[in-house]
Amino acid sequence: MGSASRKTFLPLDPGTFSNQSKAVIDFIADYYENVEKYPVQSTVEPGYLSAMLPESAPYCPETLEDILEDHCWLSWEMLCSGFNVVGFNWISSPAATELESIVLDWTGKMLKLPSSFLFSGTGGGVLHGSTCEAAVCVLAAARDKALKELGGWKNITKLVVYASDQTHFSFQKAAKLVGIPPSNFRLIETSFSTGFSLSPENLRFAIEDDIKSGLVPLFLCATIGTTPSGAVDSTAELGKVAMEFKLWLHIDAAYAGSGCICPEVRHYLDGVELANSISMNPHKWFLTNMDCCCLWIKEPKLLVDSLSTDPEILRNNASKSKAVVDYKDWQIALSRRFKALKLWVVIRQHGLTNLMYHIRSDIAMAKRFEAVVGEDERFEIVVPRKFALVCFRLKPKVEEEDLNRKLVEAIMQC
Amino acid sequence: MGSASRKTFLPLDPGTFSNQSKAVIDFIADYYENVEKYPVQSTVEPGYLSAMLPESAPYCPETLEDILEDHCWLSWEMLCSGFNVVGFNWISSPAATELESIVLDWTGKMLKLPSSFLFSGTGGGVLHGSTCEAAVCVLAAARDKALKELGGWKNITKLVVYASDQTHFSFQKAAKLVGIPPSNFRLIETSFSTGFSLSPENLRFAIEDDIKSGLVPLFLCATIGTTPSGAVDSTAELGKVAMEFKLWLHIDAAYAGSGCICPEVRHYLDGVELANSISMNPHKWFLTNMDCCCLWIKEPKLLVDSLSTDPEILRNNASKSKAVVDYKDWQIALSRRFKALKLWVVIRQHGLTNLMYHIRSDIAMAKRFEAVVGEDERFEIVVPRKFALVCFRLKPKVEEEDLNRKLVEAIMQC
């Protein structure tokens, strides 16, 4: 079955896309033809959906017919737009809320995240649009926890955030957005000798320096697969330093996280149990279209403490009971689309088997390309490849930077 | 023509939806069939799109065939997902960028915003997902401008934000997110006697008090059509106070702003020329599905100063020339979808004439409902209706709050 699925696996086939999309449209049109038959407010009980769905993602792909038939109220990006669900809290859309929690657990299990990050354990997850939004939210949660412990908002200018010079620039933007002074953002230098990964020793030096200056180390971002070169920071080693100094450790696995569904890649996430939060973007390498960023967090309460609002107009018995997740308190915006639909359909339509096939196929292509480039004496590989990103350049290197810039421009204009 | 369009105007007809959606799907499938024929990177020049499109939104509706044929690279929400455009900056998608600027100018002109808010004047606009995101961005811009003038980040705890007790709670959340101490958020009390609008006198008292205490007034949010009762703050009067004390004045017209395309409603926006920024959500009352929030700003440079990032990987000649808009610097996230498509299609498919018809029809229905309720001695109207929101309750009022809560619950369970 696994190899049969692989043979027919084509992530973007216009014919299939067209047929499936038209089935979805008929489904939406039918919903609106009959919209007056449905109740204004859902009448289900908290947890109704997890009772109906498997605990883990399917291993083998499923057909769209099965997916649509199975659950007469869900599917794909178009359905998300078509139904125009506005799911701030559980009561406004139990399906949108519960499916999101289930899909985050499914994806977390595929990545073998510890149960401390899953709803089925002691944590939980949420879908954001981008890493920067996720970063703003976890930074705000870390900030507010620290300010409470330090005795007030006046300490905000003492808080320090750590990252490497390879960390995605979104974290600097996010830290500034939540009011951390830009002069308190430490971009720790990396080098070729460590494969551009963040050195735990240098991190420790920076932290100790800041403590001596009366500052308060707050937050560390470690990256699995950096944007410039696919470098991997060692969560296991950095996690120890973070624990020692009580830093909030966030793992940005935006791109390479998807690869960790394959057992042979998973070791890059070793040490994840030491982190407070981790994010991964299915819109990068997981066949999901923009925008889709998974954020898992060990203590969702801290996110809610920082971001919750409780206006009269949104009060309801389900929220009061604390038995439900109100995702408005896990993100910046109040309103939210039915975000989980597309990721749910991606997982069901491909199944774990084809998703792994897709990752392995990309890595195999990159390996082959790396070998071809390596054999060509005009080029050199800049850093060893870890995932499906190959960093190469024309020799000679530094002296003629323009030459490589011209090459990039030529490729872009193909 | 106008009345002919009105007769056939049905914002959500399942049959039309189905036919049009299938045409869009064929369009996307065709694109992917031929994707290898297209260049990797766009080769157009900045401003190419405004040369092709009219300066203002069409008055009369257009057919989907015309819209698709006219511009062989654009349409609707599905196309946005289908093409999966990731438009951080101009060069990554000139069409997504320029169409967004054009649609913001079109919509701004429909609202008769002064040219100081339009790209065709000295300002500009951007699409966010929600008011809260827009609020985070303008608050950060105001904050960073003030901190620069005050001489550094240590002054962040002095900054004060003003709003009324009717202002949407998103502004409190946004202010806290950007690091304004929650104790520096002033919720100025309103009352029935002023129709729950913010009193300029009370605002002045609050500002003067804060200045005496050594604090720095930063930001004022005025609302056109509050969430609880549809109240309107007087921008003309509040604007004078804001100018006097150099506050950043933001107008939240999330819901009622759409209504201001009708000349007889537009007066609620009088004084908008005194504001620094204004936001309106087409996903509320403008036939656009979630999520879509227009933000116009007089000095886009302040937004960019606060939110811009300039990493090596995104450098390009178009950005360097400063002749283009890079929307990544106008919002929280780096990545963005082709956000303008759906609003553009809504405007073209309905035309100003049918959009006005839709607003007037809703207001007429609300008027009729208000009259019916007013004639029934069991009910009372709580505040006079301004837009299409009617606030009513069962008498007696305060003593039996439970009775009205039961009524709400009964309606929700219909």
Side-chain angles (χ1 to χ4, degrees), chain A residues 22 26 77 84 290 337, chain B residues 22 26 77 84 290 337:
Chain A
K22 288 174 184 177
D26 289 334
E77 180 81 358
N84 201 26
M290 270 278 295
R337 311 166 82 226
Chain B
K22 287 173 183 176
D26 289 336
E77 179 82 357
N84 202 24
M290 269 281 294
R337 312 165 80 225

Side-chain angles (χ1 to χ4, degrees), chain B residues 41-149:
Chain B
Q41 186 172 287
S42 179
T43 54
V44 298
E45 293 297 318
Y48 84 105
L49 194 54
S50 53
M52 292 163 66
L53 293 182
E55 274 177 28
S56 301
Y59 186 76
C60 292
E62 301 179 66
T63 65
L64 185 72
E65 292 68 36
D66 279 351
I67 299 173
L68 281 175
E69 197 186 304
D70 204 10
H71 308 285
C72 276
W73 34 264
L74 295 173
S75 177
W76 210 36
E77 179 82 357
M78 257 180 291
L79 282 181
C80 164
S81 308
F83 288 165
N84 202 24
V85 163
V86 183
F88 351 97
N89 49 11
W90 183 87
I91 194 72
S92 69
S93 182
T97 301
E98 298 202 8
L99 193 72
E100 187 160 329
S101 300
I102 289 166
V103 166
L104 266 291
D105 264 20
W106 279 10
T107 312
K109 284 176 186 173
M110 283 197 257
L111 296 176
K112 303 227 178 331
L113 294 186
S115 65
S116 52
F117 287 104
L118 306 180
F119 286 105
S120 55
T122 50
V126 58
L127 290 176
H128 284 237
S130 67
T131 304
C132 194
E133 288 167 49
V136 163
C137 293
V138 291
L139 277 159
R143 177 198 69 188
D144 292 352
K145 177 175 180 275
L147 292 179
K148 207 171 165 188
E149 289 166 2

Side-chain angles (χ1 to χ4, degrees), chain A residues 157-195:
Chain A
T157 55
K158 293 186 191 160
L159 304 176
V160 186
V161 176
Y162 303 84
S164 90
D165 57 5
Q166 304 295 304
T167 302
H168 197 275
F169 56 88
S170 287
F171 282 85
Q172 272 177 280
K173 181 169 176 172
K176 187 181 166 198
L177 265 171
V178 304
I180 309 291
S183 57
N184 289 9
F185 197 97
R186 306 279 169 263
L187 275 181
I188 298 167
E189 208 177 326
T190 60
S191 68
F192 180 79
S193 66
T194 57

Side-chain angles (χ1 to χ4, degrees), chain B residues 6 23 36 48 64 66 96 102 179 198 263 298 316 336 382:
Chain B
R6 281 174 209 171
E36 292 180 5
Y48 84 105
L64 185 72
D66 279 351
I102 289 166
L198 175 56
K298 262 189 191 162
N316 65 88
R336 60 205 323 273
V382 182

Side-chain angles (χ1 to χ4, degrees), chain A residues 14-307:
Chain A
T16 312
F17 162 77
S18 180
N19 290 338
Q20 292 189 344
S21 300
K22 288 174 184 177
V24 173
I25 282 166
D26 289 334
F27 192 84
I28 298 172
D30 187 63
Y31 169 79
Y32 280 108
E33 286 285 3
N34 294 290
V35 70
E36 293 181 4
K37 295 182 192 159
Y38 299 102
V40 173
Q41 185 172 289
S42 178
T43 53
V44 299
E45 294 296 319
Y48 83 104
L49 195 55
S50 54
M52 292 164 65
L53 294 181
E55 275 176 30
S56 301
Y59 187 78
C60 293
E62 300 179 66
T63 65
L64 184 71
E65 292 69 35
D66 280 350
I67 298 173
L68 281 176
E69 198 187 307
D70 205 9
H71 309 284
C72 275
W73 35 263
L74 295 173
S75 172
W76 210 37
E77 180 81 358
M78 255 180 291
L79 282 183
C80 166
S81 309
F83 288 164
N84 201 26
V85 164
V86 182
F88 352 95
N89 50 10
W90 183 87
I91 194 71
S92 68
S93 182
T97 302
E98 298 201 7
L99 193 72
E100 186 160 329
S101 300
I102 289 167
V103 166
L104 266 291
D105 264 20
W106 278 11
T107 312
K109 284 176 186 173
M110 283 197 257
L111 296 175
K112 303 227 180 330
L113 295 187
S115 65
S116 53
F117 286 104
L118 307 179
F119 286 106
S120 55
T122 50
V126 58
L127 290 175
H128 284 238
S130 69
T131 304
C132 194
E133 287 167 48
V136 163
C137 293
V138 291
L139 276 159
R143 176 198 70 186
D144 292 353
K145 177 174 180 274
L147 292 179
K148 206 171 164 188
E149 288 166 3
L150 293 168
W153 212 267
K154 64 182 184 297
N155 297 293
I156 190 170
T157 55
K158 293 186 191 160
L159 304 176
V160 186
V161 176
Y162 303 84
S164 90
D165 57 5
Q166 304 295 304
T167 302
H168 197 275
F169 56 88
S170 287
F171 282 85
Q172 272 177 280
K173 181 169 176 172
K176 187 181 166 198
L177 265 171
V178 304
I180 309 291
S183 57
N184 289 9
F185 197 97
R186 306 279 169 263
L187 275 181
I188 298 167
E189 208 177 326
T190 60
S191 68
F192 180 79
S193 66
T194 57
F196 297 104
S197 72
L198 175 56
S199 141
E201 290 72 34
N202 292 348
L203 171 66
R204 175 184 292 277
F205 293 149
I207 292 173
E208 287 172 346
D209 262 9
D210 284 325
I211 293 174
K212 271 183 214 149
S213 312
L215 297 174
V216 180
L218 175 74
F219 189 98
L220 165 65
C221 176
T223 309
I224 310 299
T226 62
T227 310
S229 69
V232 173
D233 296 332
S234 165
T235 305
E237 292 184 50
L238 296 171
K240 282 182 215 154
V241 183
M243 296 270 286
E244 184 182 338
F245 294 99
K246 293 187 179 145
L247 270 69
W248 182 297
L249 172 58
H250 180 81
I251 300 179
D252 172 15
Y255 154 64
S258 299
C260 297
I261 61 167
C262 298
E264 69 275 21
V265 180
R266 172 57 176 75
H267 65 94
Y268 291 118
L269 277 184
D270 284 355
V272 61
E273 66 279 2
L274 301 175
N276 299 77
S277 52
I278 170 170
S279 55
M280 184 275 264
N281 296 3
H283 69 226
K284 285 197 156 56
W285 199 16
F286 212 62
L287 301 178
T288 310
N289 66 1
M290 270 278 295
D291 48 352
C292 189
C293 167
C294 296
L295 169 68
W296 292 274
I297 183 165
K298 261 189 190 163
E299 295 176 90
K301 187 188 171 297
L302 296 177
L303 210 54
V304 174
D305 283 351
S306 182
L307 303 174

